[in-house]
Amino acid sequence: MSKDSYYYQGYYSGLAPEPRFRKVIQIARRLQGGRLLDIGCGDGSFTILLKEALKAQEVAGIEIAPEAVNALREKGIKAHQLDIDEQSFPFSDNYFDIVYCGEIIEHLFNPDHLLQEVHRVLKPGGSCIITTPNLAGWPNRLALLLGYQPFATAVSPEHEGAGKLIMKGDEGQWGHIRVFTTRH
């Protein structure tokens, strides 16, 4: 399965806020900023919540799926379609107060490019919030201890549930190709 077909088949849909994102909203309320960039923002549901929490006056989003870009524009978000693995962001240097990358870095072949672009468009003193599954989290440790594949990884994009504890069929981690822990 190609990267294009994977993302263009409506992958963005259903990325509305989940309970684990409450912490992100709490952080955003403390930060507050005039300009927000949400990278990999899906249909924009969480982007709107971030905008409200930050009291942002301007919001932009980057998304790879064309149907997600349309959904973002319908919500009033300045949306740009591009592949963050390869393309530069269409913004000036030092433009944004806050950049949010929620559950996206683990899907990239080249996370360094993302981080370089975030650094470029973020104002000095600005904030970047990045969330990603923790490979060293207890569920993954338990799975490994019992001889199963960690939840945040997959052996194949077509059979992501293979070798996973509790998962059935093709249920898996939806294209995670990089894994991270809380230590660097």
Side-chain angles (χ1 to χ4, degrees):
M1 173 184 302
S2 74
K3 179 167 57 169
D4 287 347
S5 67
Y6 183 79
Y7 289 109
Y8 294 165
Q9 291 174 358
Y11 170 75
Y12 78 95
S13 61
L15 293 182
E18 298 177 14
R20 65 186 169 168
F21 293 116
R22 285 189 203 132
K23 184 71 174 172
V24 172
I25 294 297
Q26 290 172 352
I27 292 168
R29 284 189 183 121
R30 288 192 310 248
L31 294 175
Q32 300 191 353
R35 292 183 180 149
L36 165 67
L37 173 61
D38 188 351
I39 302 170
C41 46
D43 68 2
S45 297
F46 193 67
T47 309
I48 297 298
L49 293 175
L50 276 175
K51 175 186 177 186
E52 292 167 1
L54 290 163
K55 296 183 172 78
Q57 288 81 42
E58 184 179 336
V59 180
I62 295 176
E63 188 44 73
I64 195 169
E67 58 271 16
V69 171
N70 292 335
L72 290 164
R73 289 180 179 151
E74 288 173 10
K75 290 180 173 136
I77 298 167
K78 295 176 186 175
H80 301 270
Q81 181 185 354
L82 60 101
D83 183 344
I84 59 174
D85 249 335
E86 301 170 0
Q87 296 174 287
S88 296
F89 298 176
F91 306 106
S92 302
D93 295 357
N94 307 317
Y95 189 77
F96 290 99
D97 300 292
I98 309 285
V99 176
Y100 175 66
C101 306
E103 309 295 310
I104 192 70
I105 196 168
E106 67 273 12
H107 297 272
L108 301 179
F109 288 96
N110 187 2
D112 292 326
H113 177 70
L114 168 72
L115 296 174
Q116 290 162 357
E117 282 297 289
V118 166
H119 184 261
R120 182 182 67 77
V121 301
L122 194 60
K123 287 181 178 178
S127 297
C128 178
I129 303 170
I130 298 175
T131 65
T132 189
N134 180 5
L135 178 64
W138 286 110
N140 288 323
R141 290 180 187 198
L142 178 61
L144 280 168
L145 180 67
L146 297 173
Y148 291 95
Q149 186 78 14
F151 293 103
T153 65
V155 296
S156 159
E158 293 181 26
H159 306 284
E160 291 193 49
K164 301 275 181 86
L165 177 67
I166 305 174
M167 295 185 175
K168 296 180 179 164
D170 289 333
E171 181 182 359
Q173 286 300 313
W174 314 284
H176 293 179
I177 55 175
R178 300 276 180 227
V179 290
F180 299 88
T181 66
T182 57
R183 296 188 184 251
H184 52 356

mmCIF file of all heavy atoms in Angstrom, residues 7 11 39-41 63 84 100-108 114 130-133:
data_model
loop_
_atom_site.group_PDB
_atom_site.id
_atom_site.type_symbol
_atom_site.label_atom_id
_atom_site.label_comp_id
_atom_site.label_asym_id
_atom_site.label_seq_id
_atom_site.Cartn_x
_atom_site.Cartn_y
_atom_site.Cartn_z
ATOM 1 N N TYR A 7 -3.282 7.583 2.939
ATOM 2 C CA TYR A 7 -3.820 8.813 3.496
ATOM 3 C C TYR A 7 -5.010 9.342 2.711
ATOM 4 O O TYR A 7 -5.855 10.033 3.255
ATOM 5 C CB TYR A 7 -2.734 9.884 3.606
ATOM 6 C CG TYR A 7 -1.746 9.556 4.675
ATOM 7 C CD1 TYR A 7 -0.450 9.172 4.368
ATOM 8 C CD2 TYR A 7 -2.106 9.592 6.006
ATOM 9 C CE1 TYR A 7 0.450 8.856 5.358
ATOM 10 C CE2 TYR A 7 -1.212 9.274 7.012
ATOM 11 C CZ TYR A 7 0.061 8.912 6.678
ATOM 12 O OH TYR A 7 0.946 8.590 7.655
ATOM 13 N N TYR A 11 -8.256 8.538 5.766
ATOM 14 C CA TYR A 11 -7.607 8.256 7.044
ATOM 15 C C TYR A 11 -7.884 9.349 8.066
ATOM 16 O O TYR A 11 -8.007 9.096 9.236
ATOM 17 C CB TYR A 11 -6.098 8.121 6.829
ATOM 18 C CG TYR A 11 -5.313 8.058 8.114
ATOM 19 C CD1 TYR A 11 -5.311 6.909 8.886
ATOM 20 C CD2 TYR A 11 -4.605 9.143 8.562
ATOM 21 C CE1 TYR A 11 -4.611 6.853 10.072
ATOM 22 C CE2 TYR A 11 -3.896 9.099 9.744
ATOM 23 C CZ TYR A 11 -3.912 7.947 10.483
ATOM 24 O OH TYR A 11 -3.233 7.902 11.651
ATOM 25 N N ILE A 39 -0.557 20.698 12.736
ATOM 26 C CA ILE A 39 0.018 19.863 11.677
ATOM 27 C C ILE A 39 -0.560 18.457 11.782
ATOM 28 O O ILE A 39 -0.471 17.824 12.825
ATOM 29 C CB ILE A 39 1.555 19.828 11.792
ATOM 30 C CG1 ILE A 39 2.115 21.251 11.704
ATOM 31 C CG2 ILE A 39 2.151 18.935 10.708
ATOM 32 C CD1 ILE A 39 3.583 21.349 12.033
ATOM 33 N N GLY A 40 -1.131 17.981 10.684
ATOM 34 C CA GLY A 40 -1.782 16.680 10.677
ATOM 35 C C GLY A 40 -3.094 16.750 11.426
ATOM 36 O O GLY A 40 -3.392 15.918 12.271
ATOM 37 N N CYS A 41 -3.900 17.755 11.108
ATOM 38 C CA CYS A 41 -5.065 18.100 11.926
ATOM 39 C C CYS A 41 -6.345 17.371 11.558
ATOM 40 O O CYS A 41 -7.401 17.670 12.126
ATOM 41 C CB CYS A 41 -5.296 19.597 11.893
ATOM 42 S SG CYS A 41 -5.215 20.326 10.270
ATOM 43 N N GLU A 63 -2.476 19.293 6.258
ATOM 44 C CA GLU A 63 -3.025 17.937 6.171
ATOM 45 C C GLU A 63 -2.679 17.377 4.800
ATOM 46 O O GLU A 63 -2.570 18.109 3.829
ATOM 47 C CB GLU A 63 -4.542 18.021 6.391
ATOM 48 C CG GLU A 63 -5.304 16.733 6.520
ATOM 49 C CD GLU A 63 -4.683 15.670 7.397
ATOM 50 O OE1 GLU A 63 -4.684 15.792 8.631
ATOM 51 O OE2 GLU A 63 -4.203 14.689 6.817
ATOM 52 N N ILE A 84 4.189 16.528 4.762
ATOM 53 C CA ILE A 84 5.157 17.102 5.709
ATOM 54 C C ILE A 84 6.447 16.303 5.787
ATOM 55 O O ILE A 84 7.416 16.760 6.383
ATOM 56 C CB ILE A 84 4.548 17.292 7.112
ATOM 57 C CG1 ILE A 84 4.052 15.979 7.691
ATOM 58 C CG2 ILE A 84 3.443 18.330 7.079
ATOM 59 C CD1 ILE A 84 3.568 16.069 9.123
ATOM 60 N N TYR A 100 1.171 22.741 16.971
ATOM 61 C CA TYR A 100 0.715 21.481 17.556
ATOM 62 C C TYR A 100 0.865 20.363 16.538
ATOM 63 O O TYR A 100 0.416 20.481 15.394
ATOM 64 C CB TYR A 100 -0.750 21.593 17.999
ATOM 65 C CG TYR A 100 -1.326 20.289 18.493
ATOM 66 C CD1 TYR A 100 -0.840 19.688 19.655
ATOM 67 C CD2 TYR A 100 -2.337 19.646 17.805
ATOM 68 C CE1 TYR A 100 -1.356 18.486 20.115
ATOM 69 C CE2 TYR A 100 -2.870 18.444 18.254
ATOM 70 C CZ TYR A 100 -2.372 17.869 19.401
ATOM 71 O OH TYR A 100 -2.877 16.681 19.849
ATOM 72 N N CYS A 101 1.527 19.281 16.957
ATOM 73 C CA CYS A 101 1.690 18.066 16.146
ATOM 74 C C CYS A 101 1.150 16.908 16.978
ATOM 75 O O CYS A 101 1.879 16.322 17.776
ATOM 76 C CB CYS A 101 3.151 17.816 15.816
ATOM 77 S SG CYS A 101 4.009 19.175 15.037
ATOM 78 N N GLY A 102 -0.107 16.599 16.819
ATOM 79 C CA GLY A 102 -0.736 15.573 17.633
ATOM 80 C C GLY A 102 -0.791 14.227 16.953
ATOM 81 O O GLY A 102 -1.467 14.072 15.929
ATOM 82 N N GLU A 103 -0.048 13.280 17.507
ATOM 83 C CA GLU A 103 -0.076 11.900 17.025
ATOM 84 C C GLU A 103 0.251 11.823 15.530
ATOM 85 O O GLU A 103 -0.400 11.102 14.783
ATOM 86 C CB GLU A 103 -1.452 11.261 17.302
ATOM 87 C CG GLU A 103 -1.938 11.411 18.734
ATOM 88 C CD GLU A 103 -1.080 10.687 19.765
ATOM 89 O OE1 GLU A 103 -0.787 9.491 19.585
ATOM 90 O OE2 GLU A 103 -0.710 11.330 20.762
ATOM 91 N N ILE A 104 1.290 12.564 15.116
ATOM 92 C CA ILE A 104 1.658 12.588 13.697
ATOM 93 C C ILE A 104 3.114 12.199 13.460
ATOM 94 O O ILE A 104 3.431 11.549 12.470
ATOM 95 C CB ILE A 104 1.333 13.974 13.074
ATOM 96 C CG1 ILE A 104 1.416 13.932 11.560
ATOM 97 C CG2 ILE A 104 2.233 15.053 13.608
ATOM 98 C CD1 ILE A 104 0.321 13.154 10.923
ATOM 99 N N ILE A 105 4.005 12.528 14.375
ATOM 100 C CA ILE A 105 5.434 12.326 14.147
ATOM 101 C C ILE A 105 5.778 10.846 13.948
ATOM 102 O O ILE A 105 6.690 10.501 13.204
ATOM 103 C CB ILE A 105 6.284 12.977 15.264
ATOM 104 C CG1 ILE A 105 7.742 13.097 14.824
ATOM 105 C CG2 ILE A 105 6.123 12.240 16.591
ATOM 106 C CD1 ILE A 105 8.588 13.983 15.722
ATOM 107 N N GLU A 106 5.010 9.957 14.576
ATOM 108 C CA GLU A 106 5.270 8.520 14.462
ATOM 109 C C GLU A 106 4.904 7.957 13.088
ATOM 110 O O GLU A 106 5.246 6.835 12.765
ATOM 111 C CB GLU A 106 4.537 7.753 15.567
ATOM 112 C CG GLU A 106 3.034 7.766 15.462
ATOM 113 C CD GLU A 106 2.379 8.966 16.130
ATOM 114 O OE1 GLU A 106 3.078 9.937 16.507
ATOM 115 O OE2 GLU A 106 1.146 8.933 16.278
ATOM 116 N N HIS A 107 4.226 8.751 12.259
ATOM 117 C CA HIS A 107 3.827 8.314 10.924
ATOM 118 C C HIS A 107 4.807 8.748 9.844
ATOM 119 O O HIS A 107 4.617 8.423 8.677
ATOM 120 C CB HIS A 107 2.444 8.883 10.580
ATOM 121 C CG HIS A 107 1.370 8.392 11.477
ATOM 122 N ND1 HIS A 107 0.667 7.231 11.242
ATOM 123 C CD2 HIS A 107 0.886 8.892 12.636
ATOM 124 C CE1 HIS A 107 -0.209 7.047 12.205
ATOM 125 N NE2 HIS A 107 -0.094 8.036 13.078
ATOM 126 N N LEU A 108 5.841 9.479 10.214
ATOM 127 C CA LEU A 108 6.732 10.092 9.228
ATOM 128 C C LEU A 108 7.972 9.261 8.946
ATOM 129 O O LEU A 108 8.561 8.687 9.851
ATOM 130 C CB LEU A 108 7.160 11.474 9.702
ATOM 131 C CG LEU A 108 6.030 12.468 9.950
ATOM 132 C CD1 LEU A 108 6.595 13.783 10.445
ATOM 133 C CD2 LEU A 108 5.195 12.662 8.703
ATOM 134 N N LEU A 114 10.172 17.517 9.640
ATOM 135 C CA LEU A 114 9.075 18.135 10.388
ATOM 136 C C LEU A 114 9.626 19.063 11.459
ATOM 137 O O LEU A 114 9.213 20.227 11.574
ATOM 138 C CB LEU A 114 8.191 17.072 11.036
ATOM 139 C CG LEU A 114 7.196 17.598 12.079
ATOM 140 C CD1 LEU A 114 6.071 18.375 11.430
ATOM 141 C CD2 LEU A 114 6.676 16.470 12.940
ATOM 142 N N ILE A 130 4.023 18.404 20.992
ATOM 143 C CA ILE A 130 4.070 17.184 20.189
ATOM 144 C C ILE A 130 3.592 16.031 21.064
ATOM 145 O O ILE A 130 4.105 15.841 22.165
ATOM 146 C CB ILE A 130 5.492 16.888 19.681
ATOM 147 C CG1 ILE A 130 5.981 18.021 18.773
ATOM 148 C CG2 ILE A 130 5.536 15.545 18.951
ATOM 149 C CD1 ILE A 130 7.421 17.878 18.322
ATOM 150 N N THR A 131 2.620 15.281 20.562
ATOM 151 C CA THR A 131 2.185 14.081 21.271
ATOM 152 C C THR A 131 2.436 12.879 20.371
ATOM 153 O O THR A 131 2.359 12.964 19.148
ATOM 154 C CB THR A 131 0.687 14.139 21.647
ATOM 155 O OG1 THR A 131 -0.101 14.149 20.462
ATOM 156 C CG2 THR A 131 0.387 15.352 22.500
ATOM 157 N N THR A 132 2.772 11.765 21.014
ATOM 158 C CA THR A 132 3.026 10.516 20.289
ATOM 159 C C THR A 132 2.908 9.354 21.278
ATOM 160 O O THR A 132 3.132 9.545 22.476
ATOM 161 C CB THR A 132 4.439 10.537 19.645
ATOM 162 O OG1 THR A 132 4.588 9.417 18.784
ATOM 163 C CG2 THR A 132 5.538 10.545 20.676
ATOM 164 N N PRO A 133 2.546 8.178 20.801
ATOM 165 C CA PRO A 133 2.494 7.034 21.719
ATOM 166 C C PRO A 133 3.875 6.753 22.320
ATOM 167 O O PRO A 133 4.897 6.928 21.656
ATOM 168 C CB PRO A 133 2.056 5.868 20.827
ATOM 169 C CG PRO A 133 1.362 6.511 19.679
ATOM 170 C CD PRO A 133 2.070 7.820 19.455
#
